[in-house]
Each structure stands twice: as structure tokens, then as C-alpha cells.
Amino acid sequence: AQGDVTTVLFAEGVADAGVQRLFLRRLHEAVPMERLDHFLRASRFAEALAFADAHGISAAVVYHRRLTAMVQSDGAVSESAVDVALELAQHIEDEDAVDVCTRLLAPSLNDTIRLLAYARRRAGAENRLRKRVEDVERRLGTWSALGGQDRDSAWAEFRVADLAANVRAYAAQGDVARVAVLWRRHAGLRRDVAGAVQGFPLDTDSAALAVWLRAEVLPTLQPAQWPAVVAWIEQRARALEARLQRPADALQLVALLDHPAQPAPALTPQQLVDTPRSSARLSHSVPECVFLRQQLADIAHLHSAHGLVLTLDAHAQLSYSAIATALLDRVVAPELLSVAYAEHFAPYARRHALDCAELVHAYCIADMDASVGGAWEPRVLALLSCLHSDMSGAQPTAARTGHARALGAVALEAMRRSAIPWSSGVDEAAQKALEVLDRFGSDDEVAVLAREAREQLRLMRLKRMLRAHGLGDAHISDTRMAGAVLQWLARRPGADVMRDVLQLVDAYHHLSRTAAYVLRLQALCETGDTDAVAALIGFIDSEEHGVQPVARLVPLEVARRTLCWTRDLLDSMAFGADASRELFRRHVASAVVVLRALEALAARRAEDPACALAPAELARLRTFVAVNDSTLGAAWQLLEDGGLMVSPGELDQPSARAQILADILRQQWLGAYADDARGAALGLPMVPPRIRALAAMLRFSEPQLNVAVTLACLRLRLFTMALDMSQQLVDAVDGDLPYALRALAACERGVAAYL
């Protein structure tokens, strides 16, 4: 239209202060288009339409300018204005119509949809225009999904806004849902995945974020985008754990890299071509995150299942073994260790395929090394009880055998470090450990541990026994003192001394059980405890019950040595004071008890095939018993019935026995008559039965006793009694002539000696 009119131009010269200027000027609004533009700027559209019609200008120019003015107006237009716009758009070019309909701010969603539907029809098959319309339609759907309600400037701004900036803004607010809407509806945003995810603050809901990443982000990633996303996930997981102490949330994110990608929802076929999805396990391409995931999983498990809070840095500095022992170390009260072992330590150790027994072994040794005195004992005993509980009823296997080794090693070390006397807990733990070691004794190492444990227990008991007897400072490694201790210990008072003596003897190979028994019997004989003597010999006979002949002879040898020692002591004893009499009584009584016990032992070995002796040995034993019975028995009876102290050696000598009988007659019978003034004229009374019994013990027959009585009467000048006894001897001629003649001859010599 502008080409149909003539433009009025003219030149104007101006001279000012000697300077000449030339201006090219144009007459405004002289050209029809300029006039039309004047009407349009003033929004005088009716006049502009009339002017255009008068000057042959296309009405489309007026309609386009009017629609442009409607688009540029503030706020949304009215519903009637939308109708007008649709009417006017019919008279303009397709591109202009599409531009107006996609930019015009309608008062409602329905009006906007009407405008876009019209724009789609006008776009036709033109791809550029159709893409423009689809982009606005998609943004409108996104706006609705984001909750947009008003149709004012907010929609106008969103319609032309940078969606990537919107994504970053929503991410900065922690709004995962809105970021997901934009990500899902606008594929172009997926080219900047790092920008989409890096803006989320740490306190964003990790569960919602993980769901979105797993479902919509990770499946659409290009290979080149993986490193940035993996680095962000790792950094965010570490920050969540370090700054917010939320290992479970961190684990949710890291776990994304260990699961197969899921298909993205609602993708078009073209998007499936443009953005290939990964169907492999992501952890294969990001092995550097596997260890982090394991750490976080362990930290979360420790927190939720065991109540142990560890930071990622602290966890990285500890081994699984150290963490397991920390579950024990945090328990202060030893009484609660069994609960901690069963509910926390053992499950965690099994979770990481750790050997519970070996860990407890190392923990106990470290605890004993670090403790002062016996402070370690309650904790170590509690853990030993836990180890033993694990072995209850267990059958020997490779794993269980290792468990038994650890149990035995801990128990052995506890025994070595226990104070003397040790507690009942240590003793119980040692017995339980030995029971387990015996059950698994087929293993060489376990068998060695069992032997060492028994040896250690034996040494502990030896130390305890010596300490109880006041020898706590004795050095049991000095074998030279063993003999002296045995001599001293065997003479200690007490019912259980023999047990302690045997314990000492068993500890030193150069000491003899036989000698120990003899020493103890000698001590009992010295005290005169005949019941204890008999009981000890019976104990020896039951204790020394080996099948070898030597073992069967031990009780006999002990009794024989004791009896010989007693006889020697009695033979060497000096008689005199009452103290000597009491000592003699004790030794003789004890010797008789030993003799009777030896006699019973001989009888048993003659009757019992299990402990039978060879005939020659049995004969020698019986002879020994008979010989000692004739002397020791007589000594005891003389002491009891006659009040006389006669050593066994004296009873073997005829002259000594004759003197003893003479003393008995004088002191206990005839002496009373000698002191009486009438004694010389008195007749001989009957010999008392007690005197006859004592004479029989001294091996004197009846005639021999009569001769002794005659001689005693003569010595005491009891001549009448001497004649009476001589008469009795004459009367006995018929009975025993040779002896009577000898007796008369003796009487004659006696009478001659006193006349």
C-alpha cells in the first residue's frame, strides 16, 4: 500500500554564524501509511479501518495491530475480547494468527484452550507453527499440573520462562514434585540433569527424591551424563551422613546405583529413540560407589538394629572386627555382657562372616592386658560363659573345633592370670572349658590346650593349698623344697591333710605316694588318733587299686613300714615320767590298730582274686603279722591290764620277760604281803586270774608261773608261801614229772640262796 502513494520530501538550507547546514525533511502524515499508523497508535481502530479502506490498504494490517494491542494489554482480556480476537484472527496471516493465539492472555482455562485449538487449525501442516503451538499446550498442561490457577501475569511469565531456571528454583525450594512434573513433561530439560538435581537442599525428603530419580531420571540418562550424576549422589550421600546424621537417607540415594533402571513413564516414541535407557545394573559402571553403599548400609544397620551411632569417617577408620568389639566395649556392667553378646555382638559378627570366638579371644586378652589387678575377671568370665553356651550340645566340626580352641585359650589365660585363691567363677569357667576341650580332644591343638589347662589347674590348686597352710610365698618351681614341705605338711592337723599331701606329691615326680602315706600315718600315730589311722589305711587300700602287683602291695608296704617305725620308736623309748607313759600308750595303741589293719589286708588278699598275692608273699605277710602280734599285742595288754610299759624288743628276750614277771608278782600281788608283819606266817593264797593272764602274755606256762611265784616269795621272805607253792609243785609230779623235778631243783636253789 505504501508503494501506491508519493512520499513528500524537501531540502532546507540554513545559514547560522557563517555555517551553512542542509536538512532533508519529510512531511509527516502526508503518506497514507503514516496516517494509518497514527490511528493505530491512538487505538482508533474504526477510523484506521475506514482510512485503510479509503486508501486501498489491506484490513489485515489493522486487524493484526488490534490483536497485537490486545496481546500487549495488562492482565487477561475479557471473554468477549477472546471472541473478538478469534473473529479478527480469521483476517490475518496464519503465522500472525498463531502468534496472537499463543500469546493472548485469556481469562480462563477454557478460553485459552479455545485460542490454542484455533491456533492448531491455523498452523495446519507447517511443522514450525505446529511445534510452537504444541510447546504452548505442553506448558499450559505443566502450569496446570503445577497448580497454577490464575490467568494473570504468572501464566504469562511461565509461558515464556526458562524452564531450566524454574527447575533450579523449585529444586532450591526442595519441591521434588514440581521438579518431577517439569522433568517428565519437558524432555529438553534432560540435557542438563546436573543442573536439575544439584540444587536440592540437604533437608529435602530423600525418599521422594530417590523415587523420582529411580523412576524418571536414571532410566533416561545418556552415558556421558552418568559420571556427573554418580558424583552428585555420592557427595550428597556423604553430606547427609556427615552433616545431618541421616545414614538411612544417604543409603536410599546410594542404593539407586545398585538397582536396575526402571522404564520412564509416559514417553513418546521419539523420546525413546532420542534418550536410550540403561537396562544394566548401574553398580557395574560405578564400582567406586559400592564400598560407600556397604558403609552406609552398615552404619544404618548399626544405628537401627544395635543403637550404635557411627559417622562415615569413623566407620572408615574401623574394621568390622573393631566395630563388633565396640558393641561389647560400650557395655559397662559385666552382668549385661551376655545380652550384648547374644543380641548385638554375635548377630553383627555373623552378618560380616566374622569368627565370634576368635574376636572374643582377642578382646579378652586385650582386656586382661589393659586391666589392673583382677579388674578383668567379671567381663572375661561373662564372655567365657557366652562361648560355652554356644558350644552346648555342639558336635565336632571344623568351625566348632576352632570355637573350642578359642574357648580353651581364653580359659587358660584367665587361669594363668587369676589370683590365689581364685574365685568360684574362675573355677566354674575352668571346669566348663575342660569339658568342652575333652569333647573336642580329637583335634591336636585342642588336646594340647586340654593338657595345659589341666596342668595349670593343678598348679593353681597346689598354690591354693600351700597358701591355706601358710606357705603362700613358697616357690613351687623350686623342687628342692618339696621334700621339706612334705615332711611339714604330713604332720599338720586336719581331716583333709592327706588330700593336700597327695596333691603335693602328684606335683613333683620325685616324691613318693607310699612315703607320703607313711609320713601321715606316723604323724597320726604320734597323736594317738587310732580312728584316723584305721581310716587312712582303709583309704589307701581303696585309693591304690591299680591292677599291677606293685599297686596291690602299696597298702601292705605302707602298713609294714609304719609298724616297723612304731616298734623301733617303742624300743628306743625311755620310760619314766607320766608323759612317757602317755606317749607309750599312744604309740602302742596305734601300732595295734596298724597291726589289725595289716591282718585284715592279708585276709582280703587271701580271699579276693582281684588283689590276690603270690603264695610265698602271702606266707611272709602272715608270718610278719604273727610275730608282731606276739610282741605288740602283749605290750598293749600289759599296759592295759598290768599298767606296765614293756617294749616289743624286751618281749623277745626270755630273761627280760622273767624279770618283768617277777616285777609284776612283787608290785601287783606279793609285795602287799611282804609289807605285812604277819606275811611270813601266812599261807599262799590263790594266784589272781589277772596275774595268770599277764604271765600267759609273757609266754609263761602254769608250772613256770608257779616256779616264778616260789622264787618271788623267797625274795620277799615269805617262806610259808614258798613252802606252799613247793608243795603244789610236788603234787604236780604225777602230772608232769620232768618239769616238776626241774621246778623242785629251782626251788631248792632258791631256798638255799635265802637260808
Side-chain angles (χ1 to χ4, degrees), residues 125-380:
E126 177 65 34
N127 288 334
R128 183 173 58 83
L129 297 180
R130 288 180 64 86
K131 188 176 183 304
R132 183 173 180 180
V133 174
E134 290 173 356
D135 182 65
V136 176
E137 288 178 335
R138 188 176 294 108
R139 289 203 179 208
L140 179 61
T142 302
W143 174 257
S144 299
L146 293 175
Q149 298 296 330
D150 50 5
R151 302 263 70 84
D152 55 11
S153 58
W155 157 243
E157 293 176 1
F158 182 78
R159 184 182 58 190
V160 296
D162 182 1
L163 294 181
N166 282 24
V167 167
R168 289 191 291 271
Y170 290 143
Q173 300 171 12
D175 196 338
V176 180
R178 291 191 174 187
V179 173
V181 169
L182 290 171
W183 182 271
R184 187 182 309 119
R185 295 185 60 82
H186 302 279
L189 296 174
R190 298 168 190 166
R191 289 189 293 270
D192 186 20
V193 63
V197 299
Q198 288 178 352
F200 286 102
L202 277 180
D203 57 356
T204 302
D205 184 0
S206 296
L209 186 59
V211 170
W212 172 59
L213 290 172
R214 180 182 293 109
E216 300 185 30
V217 178
L218 299 183
T220 63
L221 290 181
Q222 297 289 344
Q225 294 175 315
W226 270 108
V229 174
V230 170
W232 173 79
I233 289 177
E234 181 178 356
Q235 293 170 3
R236 185 175 182 84
R238 293 183 181 276
L240 279 171
E241 192 282 327
R243 293 164 59 182
L244 299 184
Q245 286 77 50
R246 286 157 56 177
D249 290 353
L251 180 60
Q252 280 186 313
L253 292 179
V254 177
L256 296 173
L257 304 179
D258 197 39
H259 288 78
Q262 300 296 326
L267 296 178
T268 64
Q270 184 61 38
Q271 290 170 337
L272 291 175
V273 173
D274 295 340
T275 57
R277 294 167 292 140
S278 171
S279 59
R281 290 182 66 86
L282 307 180
S283 59
H284 293 173
S285 59
V286 284
E288 64 274 10
C289 291
V290 174
F291 182 64
L292 175 61
R293 182 186 185 281
Q294 293 174 348
Q295 283 184 299
L296 291 172
D298 199 52
I299 291 173
H301 173 74
L302 286 169
H303 190 194
S304 61
H306 305 298
L308 181 63
V309 179
L310 287 179
T311 64
L312 192 60
D313 291 339
H315 188 278
Q317 300 299 321
L318 298 173
S319 64
Y320 291 136
S321 299
I323 295 173
T325 54
L327 293 172
L328 295 175
D329 216 24
R330 65 177 179 172
V331 180
V332 178
E335 296 80 6
L336 300 179
L337 273 175
S338 59
V339 177
Y341 180 92
E343 296 183 1
H344 301 293
F345 172 79
Y348 184 81
R350 287 192 292 268
R351 174 184 173 90
H352 295 287
L354 302 175
D355 190 331
C356 293
E358 284 299 327
L359 287 179
V360 170
H361 177 211
Y363 178 82
C364 290
I365 297 300
D367 189 54
M368 286 188 276
D369 290 339
S371 298
V372 178
W376 54 267
E377 184 174 309
R379 299 184 70 83
V380 172

Side-chain angles (χ1 to χ4, degrees), residues 4 32 59 65 99 117 140 145 202 213 220 282 417 571 593 622 630 698 712 725 751 754:
D4 295 339
R65 289 296 296 272
D99 179 68
L140 179 61
L202 277 180
L213 290 172
T220 63
L282 307 180
R417 302 194 188 206
D571 289 340
V593 170
R622 286 174 172 171
S630 64
L698 292 172
M725 180 54 66
V751 171
Y754 288 99

